[in-house]
Amino acid sequence: MKSYTIFQKSDDETVNNFLDWMRNQERGVYRAALRELGALKKLRPQFMQQKPVEEQFAWLKKMLSWKPAETIADHLLQVWLIRKHETMLIGFIEKLGIPHNGHGVVDELPETLDADKLKEAVDALFAQYPAGAVSVYLHMFQNQTEEGWPELQAILDSDPRVTIK
């Protein structure tokens, strides 16, 4: 699932929590996103920056759900996952036995995933983190290879805890 589709299918609470965190913790990235997305619609940056936060969030969700904004959406989700949810990323890949740099960044992804380890890792994520954040992460992890992994796709398609279908 592409990043813009993740925004299309995510619930408002997950997207608003994401945007609120970006706005408060990654102000430069948030402003750059407003500026870049505004440029796609030929809007001046001040136009959106002067809007109330609720209107900014609604507009950002709409824009990040738009296919031409895929690169921006992808970047924002990566920043959010790596900086806010580093422990989630590390816990998941460690349960899968995937070597990483200590911060959840992987140099080489496996060709296959052990179904039992994957189920255990996914169960641990849903036990510890909000379902919306876990769902976003699992979809983004699936995007790390061109075809993804059939074992993970089966979970994304059938697990009722996954909020993005």
Side-chain angles (χ1 to χ4, degrees):
M1 181 177 292
K2 302 286 187 182
S3 53
Y4 69 91
T5 310
I6 290 172
F7 280 100
Q8 289 172 359
K9 297 184 178 214
S10 289
D11 61 280
D12 287 341
E13 180 181 359
T14 299
V15 174
N16 287 340
N17 287 340
F18 160 79
L19 291 171
D20 188 56
W21 184 86
M22 292 297 292
R23 184 175 174 270
N24 291 311
Q25 301 301 317
E26 295 290 335
R27 290 180 87 55
V29 174
Y30 180 84
R31 286 183 181 153
L34 274 176
R35 192 172 48 252
E36 290 175 32
L37 291 167
L40 289 174
K41 290 290 188 179
K42 300 188 185 333
L43 298 172
R44 292 183 334 225
Q46 298 84 354
F47 177 75
M48 284 314 301
Q49 290 174 348
Q50 293 173 351
K51 297 276 185 195
V53 173
E54 297 80 21
E55 286 183 40
Q56 283 182 25
F57 285 6
W59 183 80
L60 282 167
K61 180 179 182 184
K62 179 181 173 184
M63 290 298 295
L64 292 168
S65 299
W66 187 39
K67 186 175 181 176
E70 180 179 358
T71 304
I72 299 166
D74 201 44
H75 176 72
L76 292 177
L77 287 172
Q78 289 172 6
V79 168
W80 179 65
L81 288 168
I82 290 170
R83 295 193 183 149
K84 181 174 189 209
H85 293 293
E86 181 182 66
T87 56
M88 179 170 58
L89 279 63
I90 291 170
F92 182 71
I93 60 177
E94 283 183 352
K95 283 205 179 290
L96 293 175
I98 300 172
H100 61 93
N101 70 349
H103 297 285
V105 177
V106 175
D107 288 330
E108 192 172 324
L109 291 164
E111 290 184 25
T112 61
L113 298 176
D114 179 286
D116 293 331
K117 285 182 181 179
L118 179 60
K119 182 182 178 341
E120 183 181 317
V122 169
D123 288 343
L125 290 185
F126 279 114
Q128 286 185 275
Y129 302 97
V134 172
S135 298
V136 168
Y137 174 59
L138 293 176
H139 279 287
M140 291 296 287
F141 189 80
Q142 181 71 333
N143 291 343
Q144 296 306 301
T145 66
E146 198 166 312
E147 273 106 46
W149 295 271
E151 304 85 1
L152 180 53
Q153 192 60 52
I155 290 172
L156 292 170
D157 292 341
S158 66
D159 194 314
R161 299 171 295 182
V162 176
T163 61
I164 304 168
K165 299 282 184 183

